[in-house]
Amino acid sequence: MIKVGDALPDTTLMEYSEVEGNGCSIGPNPVKVRDAAKGKTIALFALPGAFTPTCSAKHVPGFIEKFNDLKSAGVDEIWCVSVNDAFVMGAWARDQKTAGKVRMLADGSGDFAKAAGLTLDLTGKGMGLRSNRYSMLVKDGKVASLNVEAPGKFEVSDAQTLLAQAKG
C-alpha cells in the first residue's frame, strides 16, 4: 500500500469536461497523475463509487463545504477519484455541483487504485473491484498524509480531517 513519502502512481485518470478550453475537449480527457500533481498541494479523496449513499450524502458534500477552508490552508486542488468511467463521474459532478471546486476523476479500470494498493473487492455485492475509501494530502506529487478507512466506515477520510492535516 502507498505510504507517506511515496510518489503518486504514474497512471492516467480521465476527467469529463463540460466545456472546451485549455487543451481540453468536451467529453473525457486524460489526466496524467504525476504531471497534474507536480508543484501543487492536492486534497485527494477516493471512494468506492459514484452515486452511492455515503459518497453522495457525506463524502463529496463535505469537500465542497470545506472548499474555501482548504484553499486558505494552501490546497491548490481537490480531487475525487473513483473506479467509474468518465461519463459517470461527469454526471455525478453535475449532480453534486462540484464545478470549480472538486475535480471528479475517473479511474475506470482501477489502475490508480491497484497501483496505490488501495483496492476494495466488492464482487460479493455486485460492484467488482473498487477503490477503498481514503483521503490523502499530496504535496508536489508525494503523499504527505494518508487516511484509510476500515471497511464500511467513514471516520478518517472526511474533509475536516484533511483540512486539519493541511493546516498542520
Side-chain angles (χ1 to χ4, degrees):
M1 178 172 53
I2 198 168
K3 60 188 180 314
V4 171
D6 288 351
L8 289 178
D10 191 15
T11 60
T12 300
L13 299 169
M14 297 297 285
E15 182 175 33
Y16 190 89
S17 296
E18 298 283 353
V19 293
E20 206 165 353
N22 275 349
C24 293
S25 62
I26 294 173
N29 286 273
V31 176
K32 293 182 184 283
V33 171
R34 287 197 178 162
D35 292 344
K38 198 172 290 181
K40 296 176 188 167
T41 297
I42 298 167
L44 185 156
F45 66 105
L47 35 80
F51 294 104
T52 56
T54 301
C55 304
S56 290
K58 296 179 183 175
H59 217 166
V60 173
F63 279 90
I64 293 169
E65 180 185 314
K66 296 293 182 193
F67 172 78
N68 290 327
D69 295 333
L70 286 160
K71 292 295 260 185
S72 294
V75 170
D76 298 302
E77 294 182 0
I78 302 170
W79 294 5
C80 174
V81 179
S82 184
V83 179
N84 291 105
D85 65 61
F87 296 100
V88 169
M89 292 301 281
W92 198 32
R94 286 189 298 279
D95 177 73
Q96 293 285 307
K97 298 175 180 49
T98 64
K101 294 184 177 180
V102 178
R103 294 183 75 178
M104 303 297 274
L105 300 171
D107 185 20
S109 297
D111 293 339
F112 184 86
K114 291 174 199 169
L118 288 163
T119 57
L120 179 64
D121 189 352
L122 294 176
T123 303
K125 294 184 179 188
M127 295 174 68
L129 191 66
R130 296 297 180 124
S131 173
N132 203 340
R133 184 183 305 280
Y134 64 90
S135 67
M136 63 172 72
L137 189 65
V138 177
K139 294 185 178 185
D140 194 24
K142 291 193 185 322
V143 179
S145 65
L146 177 64
N147 314 294
V148 181
E149 296 286 0
K153 298 291 184 183
F154 179 62
E155 299 170 343
V156 299
S157 64
D158 61 307
Q160 187 61 47
T161 298
L162 214 54
L163 175 60
Q165 291 168 341
K167 286 180 175 180

